[in-house]
Amino acid sequence: MTQLMAANTRRVDLQEVMAVPSPEFTDSWHPISHGEVVTALKAACDTHGIGIRSEEYSLSANGAKMFGVWELDLLLNGTHYSLGLRNAIDKSLGVGVTAGTKVLVCDNLCFSGDYIKFRKHTSGLDADELQTIAHDAVGGAIIEMEKLYDWQNGLHEIYVPKNDHKAMVYDMVVEGVFSGGKINRFLQCLEEERAIRKGGALDGATSLYNMHGAATRLMRDQSLIQVAKATPKLNQICNDYRNMKLAA
């Protein structure tokens, strides 16, 4: 689930992004053009063997601010990984890169994902450092994706007995993963997850992966802003339960 929200900017194509010039820099401020940011990130993706399936961009009225979202050809549990970027040449924003399976880039400055990296336009920022930032950002995103993949797969083998269901659901409601009025829908989602996630040591029982998947399935009806806020809370609840079971 990925989205570029352009409420105060206009959607543009790549050609228009690349055509925005970079202003003159000073001793303390060295703005990098939008085109340089895009080029550096594309080069980093190419170095890591990552293709770009689709691109979306928006620009502020004067072209000073740029926001973008790319869908990559990396898959995590059937979901394409995405990369978000933003930049400004008017001192309002630094270079920003985010990545994950749920990426939100908004021109109101909401910027979320599993991995986030920022860099101000200070005097030390030049083409070489931009390339380093781009390679670190893409490489770091891949590492975070692999960690998330391993973490999610590890949830398959953690059994959640029925007497723990209520406690976990209560925690999800209290933490704002979903509202109390959606508990029945969550239980339906849980049954749907159990029906399709068969096999392994916990076949027929409820795994932590089922609980996580049910909450994620429930989020499909929520806005991406709500999902961006709820996902870290859900992951923390599942991780706390996982750590408790592993320590027992």
Side-chain angles (χ1 to χ4, degrees), residues 164-176 178 183 237:
D164 286 350
H165 287 187
K166 290 184 179 180
M168 286 197 71
V169 171
Y170 175 81
D171 287 344
M172 291 178 189
V173 171
V174 169
E175 293 298 323
F178 55 83
I183 291 178
I237 291 169

Side-chain angles (χ1 to χ4, degrees), residues 21 43 62-63 107 110 128-129 155 163 165-166 216-217:
N62 61 359
D107 56 18
C110 184
D128 288 339
E129 185 178 355
L155 303 183
N163 60 337
H165 287 187
K166 290 184 179 180
T216 300
R217 182 180 290 262

Side-chain angles (χ1 to χ4, degrees), residues 14 17-18 32-57 66-74 81-88 94-100 103 105 111 115-119 121 125-142:
L14 175 60
V17 171
M18 301 298 287
I32 296 294
S33 71
H34 308 325
E36 289 177 278
V37 173
V38 170
T39 299
L41 286 170
K42 286 195 172 187
C45 287
D46 186 60
T47 296
H48 288 280
I50 301 171
I52 302 171
R53 290 167 50 87
S54 63
E55 305 172 44
E56 292 183 82
Y57 300 97
M66 180 273 293
F67 304 88
V69 167
W70 300 349
E71 185 178 84
L72 308 177
D73 64 4
L74 286 173
Y81 214 67
S82 297
L83 185 146
L85 54 151
R86 74 185 194 189
N87 186 54
V95 180
V97 180
T98 185
V103 166
V105 178
F111 197 69
Y115 173 91
I116 299 177
K117 188 177 183 68
F118 295 106
R119 174 63 162 86
H121 290 279
L125 183 57
D126 56 19
D128 288 339
E129 185 178 355
L130 180 61
Q131 288 288 343
T132 299
I133 291 171
H135 282 279
D136 288 349
V138 174
I142 293 173

Side-chain angles (χ1 to χ4, degrees), residues 91-246:
K91 298 186 179 182
S92 61
L93 296 171
V95 180
V97 180
T98 185
T101 54
K102 300 179 180 68
V103 166
L104 174 61
V105 178
C106 183
D107 56 18
N108 69 1
L109 306 190
C110 184
F111 197 69
S112 66
D114 301 319
Y115 173 91
I116 299 177
K117 188 177 183 68
F118 295 106
R119 174 63 162 86
K120 294 181 179 180
H121 290 279
T122 52
S123 58
L125 183 57
D126 56 19
D128 288 339
E129 185 178 355
L130 180 61
Q131 288 288 343
T132 299
I133 291 171
H135 282 279
D136 288 349
V138 174
I142 293 173
I143 291 172
E144 290 302 313
M145 182 188 73
E146 292 172 346
K147 287 180 181 178
L148 181 61
Y149 179 80
D150 291 340
W151 179 78
Q152 287 186 351
N153 278 342
L155 303 183
H156 279 290
E157 305 305 321
I158 298 177
Y159 170 56
V160 183
K162 287 186 178 180
N163 60 337
D164 286 350
H165 287 187
K166 290 184 179 180
M168 286 197 71
V169 171
Y170 175 81
D171 287 344
M172 291 178 189
V173 171
V174 169
E175 293 298 323
V177 176
F178 55 83
S179 67
K182 294 186 176 181
I183 291 178
N184 287 336
R185 176 57 187 145
F186 170 82
L187 296 176
Q188 293 174 358
C189 290
L190 183 58
E191 289 305 311
E192 292 168 6
E193 282 294 309
R194 290 182 59 183
I196 63 175
R197 309 292 181 187
K198 291 186 176 181
L202 297 181
D203 190 10
T206 299
S207 69
L208 188 54
Y209 189 93
N210 296 146
M211 297 291 287
H212 185 275
T216 300
R217 182 180 290 262
L218 187 61
M219 289 181 193
R220 294 176 183 174
D221 298 329
Q222 298 178 349
S223 71
L224 197 57
I225 292 177
Q226 291 173 313
V227 171
K229 292 179 179 178
T231 297
K233 297 175 182 178
L234 170 64
N235 290 350
Q236 187 61 56
I237 291 169
C238 290
N239 202 45
D240 288 345
Y241 187 86
R242 171 183 173 274
N243 291 340
M244 179 190 71
K245 294 286 284 190
L246 293 177

Side-chain angles (χ1 to χ4, degrees), residues 2-17:
T2 300
Q3 189 170 350
L4 171 64
M5 299 183 68
N8 304 303
T9 53
R10 57 190 177 87
R11 292 182 180 272
V12 298
D13 59 19
L14 175 60
Q15 184 176 359
E16 191 164 350
V17 171

